[in-house]
Amino acid sequence: MSGFGGFLLRRAVGTVITLLAISVIVYVVFYVTPGNVAQITCGPRCSPAQVHQVAEQLHLGDPLYVRYWHFLQGLFVGQDFSTGTSLEHCAAPCLGQSYQTGQQVLDIILGKLPVSLSLVLGGMVLWLALGVGTGVLSAWRRGRLSERVLTAITLAGTATPVFVIGLVLMIVVCGELQLLPFPEYVAFTDDPEQWAWNLLLPWLSLALIEAATFARLTRAAMLETLAEDHVRTFRAYGVGERAIVGRHALRGAFAPVIALNANNVGSAVGGAVLTETLFGLPGIGQELVHAVKVVDLPVVVGMVLVIAFFVVLANAVADVLYAVADRRVVLA
C-alpha cells in the first residue's frame, strides 16, 4: 500500500508493536522481581494459603516466557481466578484482580476513568485556546509592550506549580468571591450543568500551567514561519497581515502544537495526580497513588498499562493529524 492508506497501516502496526513492547517491560518490571513475587502481588495482609493461591494463578513455577504468555492471554481472551470455593471468570481485556478489594482491576479503572477524562479533555480545550491564542498574539505583537507582558506571564505560568495556582483559585474564587462552589465531582450523566461548574476550577488550574508551555511553543513556531520566504512574498503582493497570520503562518506553526498536545493528553490521564488530589477528584491518578500505598500490585500494573495505552494512542492520533496538516509526512 502507498499514500495515506499505507501511512495509516504503518502507524497502526507500529502502535500495536509499541503496546506489546510496553506490556513486556511492565510485566518484567513488576512480576520478575527479587523476593516472593506472590507475597508482593497479594499484599502484606495475605495468609500463607492466599499467597500459595496467588502463586498458582501467576504460574510462578513455569518459565518466564510461559508466565508472560498467560499474562498476555488474560489481556486478549480473559482468564479464570480461584476464589477458594469457585472459579470467577475475568473477561478480556483482563488486567487482573485486586487482592485488597476482590474487584477486577478493569472495573476499578472504568469507575475512575470518566473523572480523569473529564478533567483532561476539559483542560485541553482551555489550554489550547489560551496557549495558542497567547502565542499567536505574542508573535504578532513582537517587540511591543504587550508582547513583553505576555512573555512574562507565560514564564510565570511555567514556573508556578499547579497546586499553588489551584489553592489561590480556590481561596479567591470559591472563598472570597464565592463565584463557584468548592469542586465536588458530579457525573455528566447525572447533571451536565453541575458537572461543568464543579470542574471549571480544576480545568483552569490545569490549563493555566499547560497553556504557558503552548504559548511559548506557538510563539517560537510562528516567528519562524513568519520569517520564511513565502510569507515575505505574500507581504510583497499586498496580502494583509491578519490573513498571513491566520491562513498561512498559523497552519505552518500548528504541527509542533499537535505533537505536544498529544503527549500532554496521554500523560495527563494518569499524571494529573496533584490536580485530582488538590480538588478531591476520584480519578485514575489518585487511585494509582492509593494502590501504591497499599501495595496492590495488580491494580498498579493495570493502571500503568492503561496510562501507557492512552499515551501511545494519543501520539498515534497526533501522527495522523500531523499528516493531515502536512501531507509531506505521508511520504516520509
Side-chain angles (χ1 to χ4, degrees), residues 38-322:
Q39 180 68 64
I40 296 172
T41 303
C42 190
R45 298 180 181 179
C46 289
S47 64
Q50 290 174 314
V51 172
H52 178 70
Q53 181 181 334
V54 171
E56 290 183 346
Q57 291 173 353
L58 295 177
H59 306 277
L60 294 181
D62 296 334
L64 177 59
Y65 69 90
V66 176
R67 291 157 56 186
Y68 173 71
W69 175 250
H70 285 293
F71 174 75
L72 208 59
Q73 277 184 318
L75 295 177
F76 287 99
V77 299
Q79 58 181 311
D80 294 324
F81 287 98
S82 174
T83 60
T85 58
S86 62
L87 285 177
E88 180 180 337
H89 181 69
C90 177
C94 181
L95 297 172
Q97 183 183 40
S98 169
Y99 294 102
Q100 301 293 325
T101 65
Q103 291 179 277
Q104 293 186 12
V105 174
L106 185 60
D107 293 338
I108 296 175
I109 293 174
L110 291 179
K112 305 295 182 181
L113 190 58
V115 182
S116 295
L117 289 180
S118 297
L119 174 63
V120 172
L121 296 180
M124 180 194 71
V125 173
L126 287 180
W127 79 51
L128 282 177
L130 293 174
V132 174
T134 301
V136 170
L137 184 60
S138 180
W140 191 15
R141 310 287 291 181
R142 183 184 182 185
R144 302 183 184 182
L145 178 61
S146 56
E147 187 264 341
R148 296 190 182 94
V149 172
L150 290 173
T151 301
I153 292 173
T154 55
L155 287 174
T158 305
T160 306
V162 66
F163 63 86
V164 173
I165 291 180
L167 282 173
V168 171
L169 286 176
M170 278 200 293
I171 292 172
V172 175
V173 177
C174 299
E176 297 294 332
L177 302 178
Q178 297 184 355
L179 297 176
L180 292 172
F182 284 96
E184 181 179 353
Y185 183 74
V186 177
F188 179 82
T189 53
D190 294 339
D191 191 335
E193 184 178 353
Q194 288 300 315
W195 169 83
W197 275 110
N198 280 275
L199 283 175
L200 184 56
L201 217 56
W203 286 341
L204 283 172
S205 301
L206 190 62
L208 289 175
I209 296 295
E210 300 293 344
T213 304
F214 279 91
R216 297 181 65 188
L217 178 65
T218 304
R219 177 182 180 274
M222 285 286 295
L223 290 176
E224 182 180 352
T225 305
L226 288 172
E228 292 181 354
D229 292 338
H230 71 279
V231 173
R232 287 196 292 268
T233 302
F234 287 137
R235 289 196 179 106
Y237 277 99
V239 178
E241 196 67 21
R242 290 187 180 182
I244 292 175
V245 171
R247 295 180 184 177
H248 306 286
L250 182 59
R251 182 175 180 179
F254 210 62
V257 173
I258 293 174
L260 178 63
N261 188 61
N263 183 64
N264 283 15
V265 169
S267 59
V269 171
V273 179
L274 287 176
T275 308
E276 291 180 1
T277 303
L278 178 64
F279 294 103
L281 301 176
I284 283 184
Q286 198 172 26
E287 182 64 26
L288 179 58
V289 172
H290 174 71
V292 171
K293 285 182 180 179
V294 300
V295 199
D296 199 346
L297 191 57
V299 177
V300 175
V301 171
M303 288 196 167
V304 169
L305 286 174
V306 169
I307 292 169
F309 169 78
F310 275 103
V311 172
V312 174
L313 180 64
N315 280 276
V317 172
D319 285 343
V320 175
L321 294 177
Y322 208 118

